[in-house]
Amino acid sequence: MSKTVSAWADRVSNQQVLLKALEATRKLWLGGLGAYSLAARSSVRAVETLLRESKAMPPKACQQIEEKSAELMSTANTAIQRSEQVVRERFLRPLDFVLLATRRDIEQLSLRVIELSAEVHQLATGQAMSAARLAQSDDSPMMTGTA
């Protein structure tokens, strides 16, 4: 009988172990379902929160973009002014010392050349006319003397 009792005790302890394992598995399964349910609810809340924040983002984003673009424009204008200053100092200022004629200088010189050409022409035609007068006046007495 002791063998039967010990076999029965072994069987009961095996069943208890199986029941405990079954209960632990059931609790684990229920815990997983609870975690899934909690995650599903919190994800819905998280998505709703993200949607609310994303609706508030466009004004903030526009403001940030405007601020950044103003900053970039300021930086670009500063760089452009600095480069213009460098060009003036390193390129144009040395050209002032080199005697290069500007367009205005060339136009003034052209006008002066035209004026001088007109004066030369007047003098040349004036001398030709005076020579012609002299020639006429020299020829006139001879003509009158022969007539």
Side-chain angles (χ1 to χ4, degrees):
M1 201 158 154
S2 69
K3 284 186 180 184
T4 342
V5 172
S6 75
W8 184 72
D10 287 339
R11 206 167 28 156
V12 168
S13 85
N14 284 344
Q15 283 180 351
Q16 286 177 349
V17 169
L18 286 175
L19 285 174
K20 285 183 183 179
L22 185 62
E23 185 64 27
T25 305
R26 185 173 173 262
K27 286 180 181 178
L28 185 64
W29 173 254
L30 290 175
L33 286 177
Y36 176 76
S37 173
L38 180 64
R41 276 185 272 145
S42 66
S43 67
V44 168
R45 277 189 245 132
V47 168
E48 288 172 356
T49 303
L50 289 173
L51 287 174
R52 271 191 311 240
E53 288 179 7
S54 68
K55 287 178 184 176
M57 281 303 286
K60 288 180 186 178
C62 288
Q63 181 182 4
Q64 288 175 346
I65 288 171
E66 288 173 3
E67 289 173 358
K68 196 63 165 175
S69 65
E71 179 184 331
L72 291 173
M73 288 293 288
S74 172
T75 304
N77 286 336
T78 303
I80 288 170
Q81 288 173 354
R82 194 175 313 132
S83 63
E84 286 176 351
Q85 178 82 18
V86 167
V87 166
R88 270 189 242 112
E89 288 177 2
R90 294 186 182 170
F91 183 70
L92 296 178
R93 189 176 293 159
L95 286 180
D96 288 342
F97 295 111
V98 178
L99 297 177
L100 292 177
T102 63
R103 182 178 184 151
R104 184 174 177 220
D105 294 337
I106 293 171
E107 288 173 354
Q108 288 176 347
L109 287 174
S110 295
L111 289 174
R112 185 67 181 142
V113 167
I114 291 170
E115 289 172 1
L116 289 174
S117 296
E119 287 180 23
V120 167
H121 183 67
Q122 285 177 352
L123 289 174
T125 56
Q127 284 179 355
M129 286 177 58
S130 8
R133 284 186 200 153
L134 283 174
Q136 268 185 352
S137 62
D138 290 338
D139 290 339
S140 298
M142 287 186 205
M143 289 180 138
T144 54
T146 56

